Structure formats: C-alpha cells, structure tokens
Amino acid sequence: MRRVVAALVAGAVVVSLAACAPERVPVAPATTAPVILPSPIAKVKSFFDKHKYSIDDPLSIWVINDKLRPLNPINYAPPDMVQAKVRSIFTPLMRPEAAAAIEKMFAAAKAEGAGEMLIQNSYRSYQTQVNVHQNWVNQLGEKGADAQSARAGYSEHQTGWTADVGAYPAKCSITQCFGDTPQGKWLAANAWRFGFVIRYPEGKQDVTGYIYEPWHVRYVGTYLSTEMHETGILTLEEFFDLPPAPDYAN
Ligand SMILES: [Zn+2]
C-alpha cells in the first residue's frame, strides 16, 4: 500500500550529425548539450475514500466506538470470530481478518528483532464488559471506573477488532511503560504496516476519552492505517472529523 513514487528521469539524448554527413562537407561539431525532457510530476497523491466502509456498523473494520458512540446494537456480538494463532494469556478471539493480521505482525516483530509478543486480551463480550466495568465501579466508584474501562457496549473489545498486546517474557503488561519496551517501540512504529492503529495515543485523552494505552491495538485495515500513518493523524475521531469524546454524554 505504499505510494508509488514515479520518478521518470529522461536519459540524456545526444544527437550527432556526423554519421550521416557526406565526407566532403565539413562536419559541424556535434552538440554536447544533452536534450533533457522535463520530468513529469514525481508523486501522485491518490484520493482517499473516507466512505469506503461504514463507521457505524459494528461489523465494519472502520466502526468507531467511543464514549459518544455506543455500539448498535449495544449488546452486539461478532458472528465469525476465530482464535488468533499467537501466544496469549486468554483464548485470543478476534474477527478473522484481525486475527490473521496480528499473527503476521507478531511474526514480523520477532523477525525484525523486537522480540516476542503476546495477546493479553482481545474479544470481550457485552456481558464480560458489564462485569469488568462493575468491578471497577466497586473499587473506584462510577467516575473512577469510567477512566479505567469502557462501559458495556462502548468498548472496542466487543467488536473483535481489538487486542491488548504485551511483551513476552512479560514486561510492563497493560502499563504505559510497555511503550518503552523494544516490543512497544516496534509496535508504535510498525503496527500500521499490518492494518493496526494504536487507538489511544499519548496526549489524546481529550479526543479518545482514554489515557495513553500503548498496548491497545485496533485493526482498521492497511488502507486506513497507511493513510493515518502518512498524514500523521493519530486518532479515528480526528481522521473522520468526529467530535472529541472525552466523556460519556450522561
Ligand atoms: Zn484494550
């Protein structure tokens, strides 16, 4: 999906009249000035279709759910999940496309010297999210819980497009220092190549509603991840001109 840089350089054309000149006619010295053709436009930026996939349908690789955009239906469950064939702590269920992509990504991380990775957590059902959130509410109250975990129906983990990943052997699991591990650094630089984005980047809590989570990757496909990488737009909300979602509406 890399953009093709078409740099056409015309070869220098030197025209000599010597070969066809009759012997008795004085030959004009061949011109030494090469003929340079003007170069065509070096880089053509292709149109990016922001409507290629739905951002509302939870089946879509572009579905955007945040604190202002609950899944519809709220108790949505993906129809076609598979187990990603990677190291993991729990059964790593994901949508098939995302599972295949994360398998490739982990293999590349290892091959490129970043080390081994694992999945901490991927699909969580509506009911699981109800329980996770309630546990936080019990510990921290509503407000504290909202800062730690999504309410049921609002979590990307419910879509099957998302995973929390970590280093193996475990280091800085589900903590921000994961971003400083070789695996975390590699992930930040390379996740886009495999169709993933770091969904909750540093300094974007006012937009995404979540603190920096260098471990939380979201599959969106390489068409979009490459465009976001190239344009330097870090969040789905900003890319699709959605309102920032720092908090729930109520
Ligand atoms: Zn997560």
Side-chain angles (χ1 to χ4, degrees):
M1 296 295 284
R2 261 169 231 165
R3 305 230 175 272
V4 177
V5 178
L8 177 66
V9 179
V13 179
V14 179
V15 180
S16 168
L17 300 174
C20 55
E23 265 179 60
R24 58 185 185 281
V25 177
V27 175
T31 173
T32 52
V35 179
I36 308 276
L37 299 175
S39 164
I41 297 166
K43 186 172 179 176
V44 179
K45 177 90 179 149
S46 64
F47 169 75
F48 186 88
D49 179 7
K50 285 194 177 183
H51 301 285
K52 190 174 168 77
Y53 302 106
S54 170
I55 62 168
D56 302 314
D57 181 352
L59 279 165
S60 163
I61 54 172
W62 286 5
V63 66
I64 301 174
N65 50 309
D66 58 30
K67 290 178 175 178
L68 296 177
R69 297 175 56 87
L71 291 171
N72 182 17
I74 193 111
N75 62 349
Y76 167 79
D80 57 353
M81 280 186 301
V82 298
Q83 215 171 306
K85 296 180 198 71
V86 295
R87 197 185 293 276
S88 64
I89 289 171
F90 298 99
T91 307
L93 290 178
M94 298 185 86
R95 299 288 304 281
E97 240 181 299
I102 211 162
E103 289 165 10
K104 274 190 207 159
M105 185 164 75
F106 282 12
K110 192 177 173 188
E112 293 171 20
E116 290 200 52
M117 298 183 74
L118 50 68
I119 291 183
Q120 303 273 356
N121 215 315
S122 50
Y123 171 67
R124 288 198 297 265
S125 69
Y126 176 80
Q127 192 53 51
T128 301
Q129 195 68 26
V130 168
N131 299 340
V132 167
H133 194 75
Q134 190 56 48
N135 278 341
W136 283 114
V137 172
N138 296 344
Q139 288 180 50
L140 305 171
E142 283 285 353
K143 206 172 166 60
D146 283 346
Q148 292 294 331
S149 85
R151 295 179 187 173
Y154 290 78
S155 172
E156 280 203 329
H157 285 277
Q158 198 179 317
T159 66
W161 294 129
T162 286
D164 295 331
V165 303
Y168 180 84
K171 193 181 177 199
C172 293
S173 301
I174 316 288
T175 49
Q176 291 182 343
C177 66
F178 170 69
D180 300 322
T181 64
Q183 288 90 338
K185 286 180 182 166
W186 183 91
L187 189 72
N190 294 285
W192 68 272
R193 291 165 47 203
F194 304 89
F196 287 94
V197 295
I198 306 293
R199 178 69 176 95
Y200 306 123
E202 196 161 17
K204 290 291 182 183
Q205 188 174 354
D206 288 349
V207 177
T208 65
Y210 293 91
I211 56 167
Y212 173 44
E213 292 193 0
W215 61 85
H216 179 115
V217 291
R218 159 67 194 275
Y219 184 75
V220 294
T222 53
Y223 181 57
L224 176 54
S225 65
T226 302
E227 184 71 9
M228 288 176 71
H229 173 73
E230 289 187 352
T231 57
I233 298 174
L234 295 178
T235 68
L236 296 175
E237 284 82 3
E238 289 165 301
F239 187 86
F240 287 98
D241 302 315
L242 295 172
D247 218 335
Y248 297 100
N250 52 50

